[in-house]
Amino acid sequence: MSLYDDAVLVLKEYENQPELRQAYLDHLSTHGDDGMWKACTAGHVTASALVVDPSRGRVLLTLHKKLRMWLQMGGHCEPGDTTLAGAALREATEESGVPGLTLLGGGPVRLDRHPIPGPCTQHLDVQYAALAPEDAVETISDESLDLRWFSYEDVAGVADESVVRLVEATRARL
């Protein structure tokens, strides 16, 4: 199964946000496999994961180097990715430096479509949650200016609404 086929299956099984889910499916229907890749200037599917430490009531956010915003880990799908879940876990591991992350069961937690400056017009982000091991130690990657743990309650003071909604949806699923 290709990454495209996996994305279509994941989106068809996702039961929330029906209008946005359909917009993602329509995008993929229109653009085919190209709709998965950064080269598709009409927008493309991305995968992200909120790294969460439920035992301490906190999430790990990255201060994105280009956007200069506190965000969950995530980004573009790569040719070696075979599933959206795998892409999200790869991105979370690479950007957090935390080994041993595991995805929270049940598939994506949320979808978030957002505009992107530059040649691409939008990201169609499929958002997962990744559980950090108890002894998690983060390491800043080249893509981050900083990494920091925030309590659930503190996220609204540092991040935008999309991250706040992702934290809320993740907490509801925990």
Side-chain angles (χ1 to χ4, degrees):
M1 179 183 318
S2 70
L3 181 60
Y4 170 86
D5 292 333
D6 177 74
V8 169
L9 183 62
V10 165
L11 290 165
K12 284 183 175 179
E13 291 177 352
Y14 181 71
E15 295 180 353
N16 298 319
Q17 300 172 271
E19 289 179 16
L20 189 55
R21 177 183 77 92
Q22 190 58 53
Y24 281 37
L25 288 167
D26 291 346
H27 173 82
L28 289 174
S29 177
T30 299
H31 297 283
D33 188 58
D34 289 344
M36 297 298 302
W37 309 113
K38 187 177 182 178
C40 184
T41 58
H44 45 269
V45 173
T46 57
S48 68
L50 178 69
V51 175
V52 87
D53 178 355
S55 66
R56 295 186 180 148
R58 62 186 189 160
V59 299
L60 183 64
L61 299 180
T62 179
L63 184 56
H64 194 277
K65 191 176 260 184
K66 290 181 183 175
L67 300 176
R68 298 191 181 272
M69 297 171 60
W70 288 103
L71 299 170
Q72 75 277 10
M73 317 300 155
H76 297 107
C77 297
E78 295 181 1
D81 294 327
T82 57
T83 65
L84 282 178
L89 187 59
R90 175 188 52 74
E91 286 283 341
T93 301
E94 288 174 359
E95 293 183 14
S96 71
V98 176
L101 295 174
T102 57
L103 291 183
L104 183 63
V109 176
R110 283 192 49 78
L111 304 176
D112 185 74
R113 179 175 52 192
H114 47 270
I116 296 295
C120 172
T121 57
Q122 64 180 333
H123 281 174
L124 306 167
D125 197 29
V126 180
Q127 301 177 325
Y128 292 82
L131 301 173
E134 286 187 28
D135 58 351
V137 176
E138 67 279 6
T139 303
I140 296 174
S141 75
D142 292 342
E143 297 182 37
S144 301
L145 293 172
D146 196 6
L147 283 173
R148 195 174 304 160
W149 291 100
F150 292 95
S151 71
Y152 297 146
E153 296 74 25
D154 289 341
V155 171
V158 298
D160 71 7
E161 277 299 309
S162 70
V163 179
V164 171
R165 287 190 298 269
L166 178 57
V167 170
E168 290 170 353
T170 299
R171 290 182 71 189
R173 183 163 314 164
L174 286 173

